[in-house]
Amino acid sequence: MSRSHIRTILLIDDDRSMRESLVDLLEADGWRAEAVSRAQKGVDLLPDLQPDVILSDVKMPGMSGLDLLGQLAPDISPPLVLISAHGDIPMAVKAMQDGAYSFVEKPYEPRRLLTILRHAADQHLMRRTNERLKARLMRLSGLDRALLGQTPETRALREDVLDLAESDAPVLVLGQTGTGKELVARALHDLSPAGDGPFVALNCAALSVDSFETEMFGGHAGQGSRLLAANGGTLFLDEICSCPLQVQAKLLRVIEDKQILPTAGGPPIPLAFRVVSATNEDPEQAVEEGRLRRDLLFRLNTMMVSLPTLHQRRDDLLLLFTHFTQEFARVYETAPPPLTQEDIAALMAHDWPGNVRELRNVAERRVLASRRGGGSVAQAMRIDPTDDIPNTLREAVASFERELIAKAIKAHEGRMDAVAEALGIGRRTLNEKIVKLALDKEALL
């Protein structure tokens, strides 16, 4: 804990003499203490006080300690320590199971209480510091702009990238074409300790058995070596499942030995680089089909990150499209085209098999058409006007919901509780949507 940080505690107890005794003890230990007699008063104070820890009695008039715990947001609220009389211990244990930090039985032992409170406050401070550092890293690296979006899938991806960037272990990036695998690989590099070093990308599908050693190892003293060019940085192996098998053996040896033998002779040259690889295939299936060496896969998949498809992060679609149109409007020095209801309906109705790359291309074509004084999203998507496209946003959303629910019913073989859980909605809401969307469950199965 920073020496300049003064621990702040919110004390809640309806017993006045107990409050005064605790305040004296805490202030003598260097705490800043704010004491109230009711839990609701404490809840009202939280936004302004922002305490490092809350110390509360279990049983109080009005809101109890358990009720107070239910009011606290698990990820951002300060830890709650409960004081309980002997008869309240089962209740206090239940509170700890529900997320309370600890409890202390009355009469309390002062040194033990202070130790618990210090540890709770230090843990909260550390968590807030880590969150600030992560937020600062995102701002500095542009990660929140590079991996734009607010869906749970996108937020989880950004967190994964930040966590994996701290390690030098190999990372295998999995994702369909157009989901941004190289973008993630570059983010992993930029945020890593080797972020100032080189980032060398190799298209493994284009590697030749005949020219591999010359191209990868280079001539005298490694001159012209693409592997040496990655020294001190990141080697990105794209389309690893499409790499020729004979080349895979040579790559495996380089990754294991971390050195090259120049083709023109001379001593081995040691290398230090992190390996990030990517594929749009199932690597296990490629191994089973004999197209990918299992020992190479074991060297590459120490850590793995899977990228969501645009279909899976559909709530990010309009945000991404607006971002891309603004970006291309700056490039082509024109005003971003406004989104009409017809545009939104066309965007929502499309499946986006090409993922974010396809969406970006559509945005560029839309901006270019707007620059010439016309165009629409449907035209930028090169959709035949006679195609069955929803006329309104409401129809587009209904079409998407119908497709999503139908797929979930098929995937879970008609088990409606499982379908509702997978969709993140209640069973009653699911039933209402099935009726409203005129879905025939029996026909789907």
Side-chain angles (χ1 to χ4, degrees):
M1 187 186 76
S2 169
R3 294 186 180 183
S4 62
H5 180 80
I6 299 175
R7 298 183 183 93
T8 301
I9 187 168
L10 173 60
L11 171 63
I12 307 172
D13 199 308
D14 65 321
D15 185 328
R16 181 177 178 179
S17 61
M18 177 66 75
R19 287 200 309 273
E20 291 176 349
S21 171
L22 285 168
V23 168
D24 289 343
L25 172 69
L26 291 162
E27 289 183 344
D29 194 52
W31 289 76
R32 175 192 169 205
E34 185 75 28
V36 295
S37 59
R38 294 291 185 271
Q40 186 57 57
K41 291 182 180 179
V43 171
D44 296 339
L45 276 175
L46 282 176
D48 293 328
L49 185 62
Q50 294 189 356
D52 297 300
V53 64
I54 302 170
L55 177 63
S56 173
D57 199 354
V58 174
K59 286 188 176 179
M60 293 176 291
M63 184 186 297
S64 69
L66 289 177
D67 296 332
L68 172 61
L69 179 62
Q71 295 280 317
L72 301 176
D75 295 332
I76 59 174
S77 295
L80 173 66
V81 176
L82 295 169
I83 298 183
S84 63
H86 181 72
D88 298 333
I89 288 180
M91 187 186 302
V93 171
K94 172 67 167 58
M96 287 183 64
Q97 292 171 344
D98 292 340
Y101 182 83
S102 185
F103 76 90
V104 178
E105 185 179 353
K106 296 178 183 176
Y108 61 87
E109 201 283 310
R111 284 181 297 181
R112 179 172 178 269
L113 174 63
L114 290 174
T115 298
I116 291 173
L117 293 175
R118 288 189 205 111
H119 288 168
D122 290 350
Q123 184 183 90
H124 183 57
L125 178 61
M126 186 179 300
R127 184 174 66 186
R128 285 192 302 176
T129 301
N130 287 339
E131 288 169 356
R132 284 196 298 269
L133 285 174
K134 283 192 173 183
R136 182 169 177 266
L137 271 176
M138 282 192 179
R139 288 195 299 271
L140 290 175
S141 67
L143 183 59
D144 51 347
R145 294 188 297 274
L147 302 178
L148 187 67
Q150 293 303 318
T151 59
E153 294 83 1
T154 310
R155 292 198 297 269
L157 175 60
R158 286 196 292 261
E159 290 293 325
D160 285 344
V161 169
L162 282 173
D163 290 340
L164 293 175
E166 298 174 3
S167 168
D168 62 355
V171 178
L172 177 59
V173 184
L174 306 174
Q176 291 184 9
T177 299
T179 49
K181 294 185 291 296
E182 182 167 351
L183 188 69
V184 168
R186 287 186 178 274
L188 287 168
H189 168 74
D190 291 341
L191 292 170
S192 73
D196 293 333
F199 179 90
V200 175
L202 298 180
N203 181 353
C204 294
L207 295 178
S208 164
V209 176
D210 296 333
S211 62
F212 178 84
E213 294 194 0
T214 301
E215 187 177 357
M216 296 296 108
F217 296 168
H220 181 70
Q223 186 176 7
S225 164
R226 298 185 68 181
L227 292 172
L228 187 58
N231 201 27
T234 299
L235 178 66
F236 176 51
L237 304 175
D238 198 10
E239 297 187 51
I240 188 63
C241 289
S242 300
C243 187
L245 279 172
Q246 289 176 279
V247 171
Q248 290 182 33
K250 297 175 184 292
L251 271 177
L252 178 61
R253 188 175 70 248
V254 170
I255 293 170
E256 287 180 335
D257 297 344
K258 286 292 179 69
Q259 66 177 17
I260 59 174
L261 297 170
T263 55
I269 301 174
L271 299 174
F273 54 74
R274 185 189 195 180
V275 177
V276 177
S277 52
T279 180
N280 59 8
E281 299 185 52
D282 178 351
E284 284 294 340
Q285 183 178 343
V287 169
E288 293 298 325
E289 294 173 357
R291 296 183 292 109
L292 179 64
R293 293 175 61 113
R294 185 170 293 279
D295 50 2
L296 177 59
L297 176 60
F298 286 157
R299 281 290 179 180
L300 300 177
N301 69 350
T302 304
M303 304 288 187
M304 291 198 294
V305 56
S306 296
L307 308 193
T309 63
L310 187 53
H311 192 81
Q312 291 171 317
R313 48 182 296 212
R314 207 174 185 89
D315 287 348
D316 285 337
L317 206 157
L318 297 182
L319 174 65
L320 286 166
F321 188 78
T322 301
H323 170 74
F324 290 146
T325 54
Q326 291 174 345
E327 181 182 279
F328 285 118
R330 287 193 296 271
V331 171
Y332 293 114
E333 298 180 349
T334 187
L339 267 177
T340 65
Q341 275 208 340
E342 291 76 14
D343 290 337
I344 296 173
L347 288 167
M348 295 296 293
H350 191 51
D351 279 341
W352 301 104
N355 293 293
V356 177
R357 183 182 298 159
E358 181 186 4
L359 181 67
R360 184 183 178 90
N361 292 341
V362 169
E364 184 173 15
R365 290 196 293 269
R366 178 68 188 94
V367 169
L368 288 171
S370 173
R371 193 183 184 194
R372 296 190 296 269
S376 67
V377 166
Q379 290 170 340
M381 293 166 67
R382 297 168 179 166
I383 294 176
D384 188 330
T386 62
D387 284 352
D388 186 17
I389 301 173
N391 294 317
T392 66
L393 176 58
R394 178 174 293 178
E395 291 173 355
V397 171
S399 175
F400 171 61
E401 285 189 335
R402 188 178 294 109
E403 176 189 357
L404 199 62
I405 293 172
K407 286 183 177 179
I409 290 173
K410 291 178 183 177
H412 294 280
E413 300 176 341
R415 298 188 303 275
M416 304 310 287
D417 287 337
V419 172
E421 184 178 356
L423 294 171
I425 58 177
R427 177 67 184 272
R428 181 178 176 181
T429 302
L430 174 61
N431 292 337
E432 290 173 350
K433 286 185 178 292
I434 287 175
V435 173
K436 182 179 178 181
L437 298 170
L439 279 167
D440 186 346
K441 174 186 168 185
E442 301 304 322
L444 291 171
L445 299 174

